[in-house]
Amino acid sequence: MNKPPVSISLSSYGADLVRQRGQGSFVDLLAAAGATRIEWREELLTHEEPAQLADATQARGLESVYSSPMELWLAGQSRPNPELATTLQRAQAFGAKWLKVSFGYFTDNNDLQALARLLTQSPVQLLVENDQTLHGGRIEPFQRFFGEVEQHNLPIKMTFDIGNWQWQDQSAASAARALGRHVGYVHCKAVARRADGKLVAMPPSASDLHLWEQLLRHMAQGVMRAVEYPLQGDDLVQLTTEHVATLARLGQSRLENAHV
């Protein structure tokens, strides 16, 4: 039985460590841990050479996702973010098959045809993520956007960040029911509220994993999923191996039951 692809967002290892070591230093670690994909983080880049990282991932049999914090739609502008074209090119230079961006400010006046023209010029698939903002992290604008995406038959999928819905006090289960069929990538993270009231990403508990299992029922079988929560410990290979295996198992019971 084929296991679903599991990615590791390099932000999981902590910004300081990743900047200190360089993102290329994690390629061997992820390959050893059984991950299938690596998520480069644009905001954590230091002096990395895109071609070297592309070669390193290919040599270890990994595929890559390029994550940029840019917003697809800017406030008051109908056309997509002018940085999108160069960001797609950068993702391609890193050997990435997918570019993950934030949603931004979507309105009914946004120019989907201009977006379509841009995307036809790139082999990189666009993934649009719900972030932690009021304008880019709520269910309703995504429903409207993906309604348009379907109508125009655009090659765009959603990055469904399980934890981020909590920043807007929205239900991940409601989001999965409304948007699950559009999802191409799932960012997995549990969320806890600190004593000062701030929400923070956490590794999953058993109840979190049970919720994630339920959410995946609304998405394509074997959808790509990623660790995006703290991976911190003395033996990062062992720790990463455990979490890769945990995420790979999500949704497998549904498949096994179908074969019984």
Side-chain angles (χ1 to χ4, degrees):
M1 192 186 298
N2 288 336
K3 288 183 178 175
V6 177
S7 172
I8 306 287
S9 167
L10 292 185
S11 58
S12 303
Y13 297 108
D16 292 344
L17 182 67
V18 173
R19 288 195 181 103
Q20 178 191 324
R21 286 176 49 170
Q23 295 189 46
S25 70
F26 291 89
V27 172
D28 288 346
L29 189 164
L30 265 58
T36 31
R37 293 174 185 159
I38 185 168
E39 184 182 313
W40 309 117
R41 301 292 294 205
E42 185 175 82
E43 73 276 15
L44 299 180
L45 289 170
T46 50
H47 305 294
E48 288 91 343
E49 284 292 327
Q52 287 178 1
L53 295 189
D55 290 346
T57 47
Q58 194 172 3
R60 293 308 306 266
L62 292 170
E63 293 182 315
S64 57
V65 180
Y66 187 85
S67 171
S68 169
M70 69 157 275
E71 292 184 324
L72 177 60
W73 304 108
L74 299 176
Q77 294 192 23
S78 64
R79 296 175 72 81
N81 191 325
E83 290 178 19
L84 180 60
T86 53
T87 308
L88 283 163
Q89 289 167 1
R90 196 176 312 125
Q92 193 177 350
F94 275 82
K97 293 186 176 183
W98 300 270
L99 167 64
K100 180 181 78 66
V101 299
S102 284
F103 188 36
Y105 294 82
F106 180 71
T107 70
D108 296 332
N109 299 320
N110 285 75
D111 189 344
L112 273 290
Q113 298 292 355
L115 179 58
R117 286 192 294 274
L118 263 176
L119 296 180
T120 57
Q121 296 164 25
S122 175
V124 177
Q125 161 128 55
L126 187 63
L127 299 166
V128 184
E129 181 179 39
N130 59 297
D131 61 20
Q132 296 168 7
T133 65
L134 182 61
H135 60 274
R138 295 185 64 78
I139 297 167
E140 301 78 11
F142 274 95
Q143 285 181 290
R144 295 203 312 277
F145 174 66
F146 277 105
E148 295 272 327
V149 165
E150 275 185 324
Q151 201 178 324
H152 291 85
N153 199 24
L154 299 181
I156 302 171
K157 290 286 188 183
M158 180 177 183
T159 297
F160 187 98
D161 189 301
I162 294 173
N164 279 355
W165 300 110
Q166 291 194 44
W167 267 260
Q168 295 305 322
D169 202 23
Q170 291 209 300
S171 157
S174 298
R177 284 192 295 273
L179 300 164
R181 71 182 187 278
H182 305 297
V183 174
Y185 191 31
V186 182
H187 259 195
C188 297
K189 65 166 171 264
V191 175
R193 193 175 292 279
R194 293 194 322 206
D196 63 4
K198 272 189 72 175
L199 294 173
V200 291
M202 299 284 289
S205 65
S207 62
D208 292 314
L209 293 173
H210 178 70
L211 168 66
W212 297 358
E213 188 84 46
Q214 303 306 310
L215 298 177
L216 287 175
R217 291 173 186 270
H218 300 283
M219 301 170 195
Q221 180 68 51
V223 66
M224 170 168 61
R225 66 285 309 264
V227 170
E228 204 211 16
Y229 50 79
L231 291 175
Q232 290 164 352
D234 295 330
D235 188 341
L236 289 179
V237 173
Q238 176 62 30
L239 183 63
T240 305
T241 301
E242 290 169 9
H243 285 275
V244 166
T246 296
L247 291 198
R249 281 195 299 270
L250 289 175
Q252 292 298 86
S253 59
R254 176 170 45 145
L255 200 60
E256 285 155 13
N257 292 341
H259 286 83
V260 169

